[in-house]
């Protein structure tokens, strides 16, 4: 990654005339992305599905950089779901190889750019080498504060909630003491703010078991681009769309914008 700049990109500001001050562009703090379309992209380009995932993997760094440059502070990427284990073994192995790279050689690049890395998801089914390297990467980057990048890997929202309930029950918590904060604190995303916007690439409109608790009030954005083709221009389009949304959180428009 060549540069991660937290300043808002001037290209996002609509052009001005005279002495008008620039209209405010509201940039989401936390963007979560369902990186869909790798296989379709591969097919379109005469490549294998595994090559499609490689292209998707290679797109993570430039998109992270583009988000950071525009003032986004945190991103969560859906890289492998609890259901993806059922895909052909060759495909699962190809994604595991990419994961090994991400938490191995890939970590240094993010660390030198001040990116804090975190895994959200189930640990026990992942290869021991990946788990060990996740721990090392999280520890190494824990003090970084320019950008937070979370990898949802072997992640499923329903499983996450069941896991939280199991933990709460095993702690012997009295039912009256269970509230939303307690549940949120037992999710894999504990301590991570809810996503302001969820982007799904690949043109479909499903949440696919991704952050189903955390997305209660997230703005949903679907991009027609397949994930490997989702670039700076698409990042700008998504942020612009977010900026025009009125977030009401179930209230009247004038009580919270
Ligand atoms: C969806 O495309 C994408 C996935 C299931 C995996 C996403 C993985 C990566 C971007 C690369 C791996 C990243 C890491 C960090 C290890 P799809 O195969 O469902 O595409 P389709 O919708 O065209 O079928």
């Amino acid at each position: 990654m060549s540069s991660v700049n937290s300043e808002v990109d001037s290209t996002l500001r609509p052009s001005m005339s005279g002495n008008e001050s620039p209209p405010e562009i509201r940039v989401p703090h936390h963007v979560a992305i369902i990186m869909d379309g790798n296989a379709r992209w591969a097919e379109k380009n005469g490549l294998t599905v595994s090559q499609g995932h490689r292209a998707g993997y290679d797109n993570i760094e430039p998109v992270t950089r583009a988000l950071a440059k525009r003032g986004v502070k945190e991103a969560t990427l859906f890289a492998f779901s609890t259901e993806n284990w059922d895909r052909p073994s060759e495909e699962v192995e190809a994604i595991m190889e990419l994961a090994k790279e991400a938490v191995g050689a890939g970590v240094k690049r993010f660390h030198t750019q001040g990116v804090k890395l975190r895994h959200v998801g189930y640990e026990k089914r992942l290869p021991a080498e990946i788990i060990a390297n996740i721990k090392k990467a999280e520890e190494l980057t824990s003090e970084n504060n320019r950008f937070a990048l979370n990898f949802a890997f072997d992640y499923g929202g329903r499983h996450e909630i069941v896991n939280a309930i199991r933990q709460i029950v095993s702690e012997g918590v009295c039912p009256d003491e269970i509230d939303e904060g307690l549940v949120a604190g037992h999710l894999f995303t504990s301590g991570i703010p809810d996503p302001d916007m969820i982007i799904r690439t690949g043109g479909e409109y499903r949440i696919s078991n991704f952050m189903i608790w955390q997305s209660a009030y997230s703005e949903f954005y679907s991009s027609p681009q397949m994930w490997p083709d989702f670039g700076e221009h698409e990042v700008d389009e998504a942020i612009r769309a977010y900026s025009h949304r009125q977030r009401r959180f179930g209230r009247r428009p004038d009580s919270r914008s």
Side-chain angles (χ1 to χ4, degrees), residues 36-37 44 200-203 223-231 234 237:
D36 197 21
K44 193 180 79 186
R200 182 180 185 123
T201 61
S223 167
Q225 292 291 349
M226 302 300 135
W227 170 248
D229 284 337
F230 187 86
E234 287 73 23
E237 281 183 337

Side-chain angles (χ1 to χ4, degrees), residues 30 74 76 118-120 150 188-194 211 214:
H30 178 189
E74 181 144 15
T76 301
R118 182 160 156 189
H119 169 240
V120 292
N150 313 308
F188 295 132
T189 52
S190 173
I192 296 174
D194 288 345
M211 301 188 99
Q214 300 86 340

Side-chain angles (χ1 to χ4, degrees), residues 35-40 53 56-57 79 84 87 95 98-99 151 153:
M35 306 182 287
D36 197 21
N38 292 346
R40 280 170 286 164
H53 290 314
Y57 175 83
N84 287 157
R87 291 194 174 199
I95 295 178
L98 293 171
F151 285 96
F153 201 85

Side-chain angles (χ1 to χ4, degrees), residues 46-216:
L47 300 169
T48 63
V49 171
S50 298
Q51 287 172 316
H53 290 314
R54 158 60 67 180
Y57 175 83
D58 289 342
N59 198 33
I60 289 174
E61 192 181 311
V63 170
T64 304
R65 200 184 311 129
L67 290 169
K69 200 168 141 197
R70 284 151 182 80
V72 174
K73 291 292 182 189
E74 181 144 15
T76 301
L77 306 178
F78 201 8
F80 191 76
S81 78
T82 47
E83 292 76 27
N84 287 157
W85 289 108
D86 295 330
R87 291 194 174 199
S89 57
E90 194 186 314
E91 183 178 350
V92 171
E93 277 162 30
I95 295 178
M96 289 302 147
E97 284 307 310
L98 293 171
K100 280 181 196 164
E101 195 174 318
V103 295
V107 170
K108 208 170 156 199
R109 293 162 69 84
F110 283 112
H111 182 49
T112 53
Q113 295 299 323
V115 177
K116 179 179 178 172
L117 298 170
R118 182 160 156 189
H119 169 240
V120 292
Y122 201 56
E123 287 187 358
K124 290 181 192 149
R125 293 185 297 201
L126 294 175
E129 176 192 341
I130 293 184
I131 290 300
N133 281 343
I134 285 173
K135 299 285 167 219
K136 280 192 213 154
E138 287 182 337
E139 209 177 301
L140 177 73
T141 63
S142 63
E143 301 296 321
N144 292 344
N145 57 17
R146 283 179 102 182
F147 194 84
L149 184 60
N150 313 308
F151 285 96
F153 201 85
D154 200 7
Y155 173 88
R158 288 185 175 179
H159 168 265
E160 177 184 41
I161 293 169
V162 169
N163 187 60
I165 294 168
R166 281 190 184 146
Q167 273 185 35
I168 291 168
V169 170
S170 71
E171 287 164 16
V173 179
C174 157
D176 288 347
E177 287 168 8
I178 300 174
D179 59 15
E180 292 181 13
L182 187 86
V183 175
H186 284 78
L187 299 176
F188 295 132
T189 52
S190 173
I192 296 174
D194 288 345
D196 299 293
M197 173 166 65
I198 297 197
I199 298 173
R200 182 180 185 123
T201 61
E204 286 168 348
Y205 292 79
R206 274 190 302 281
I207 203 80
S208 296
N209 201 16
F210 183 49
M211 301 188 99
I212 53 176
W213 171 282
Q214 300 86 340
S215 64

